[in-house]
Amino acid sequence: MEKVPIKTVMAILVDNRKETAERVQKILTAWGCLIKTRLGLHDGVLDNCSDAGLIILELVGSSEQHKELCEKLNKMPGVKADYMELSFDS
């Protein structure tokens, strides 16, 4: 029987980017081997950048690792993270 592929996607909301982004980056760097794809989004151009941002990650690794990363991010003030697993049923 063929194994059904599971994709894990994490979304991270970052408020007060100027003060929070560096700490978020340190956590993501420490867990970098779990991150297959990363997309960072925020509104703004040149001197008019928004203070909030959204990071979307495609993760590899175990469910336990995903949970631990999510918990570490959620302990930070101004950060909200959550993840989901997606798959096709066979």
Side-chain angles (χ1 to χ4, degrees):
M1 183 174 204
E2 189 175 325
K3 185 176 178 183
V4 178
I6 297 174
K7 296 288 185 181
T8 303
V9 178
M10 179 177 286
I12 308 164
L13 285 174
V14 180
D15 195 20
N16 199 9
R17 286 187 324 109
K18 291 176 183 138
E19 294 188 21
T20 308
E22 185 176 338
R23 292 180 303 201
V24 170
Q25 180 58 42
K26 284 182 181 180
I27 291 173
L28 296 180
T29 298
W31 290 80
C33 291
L34 293 182
I35 300 170
K36 181 176 179 182
T37 308
R38 175 178 171 169
L39 174 64
L41 305 168
H42 73 280
D43 294 330
V45 179
L46 299 175
D47 293 334
N48 192 21
C49 284
S50 66
D51 208 27
L54 172 65
I55 301 169
I56 300 172
L57 307 175
E58 178 187 6
L59 300 176
V60 297
S62 70
S63 294
E64 293 80 20
Q65 291 171 312
H66 303 159
K67 181 180 177 184
E68 188 175 347
L69 172 57
C70 193
E71 288 172 352
K72 286 189 180 297
L73 289 164
N74 280 321
K75 287 181 181 177
M76 295 179 56
V79 177
K80 173 64 179 144
D82 208 348
Y83 65 97
M84 64 181 165
E85 293 180 345
L86 300 169
S87 68
F88 290 105
D89 296 328
S90 348

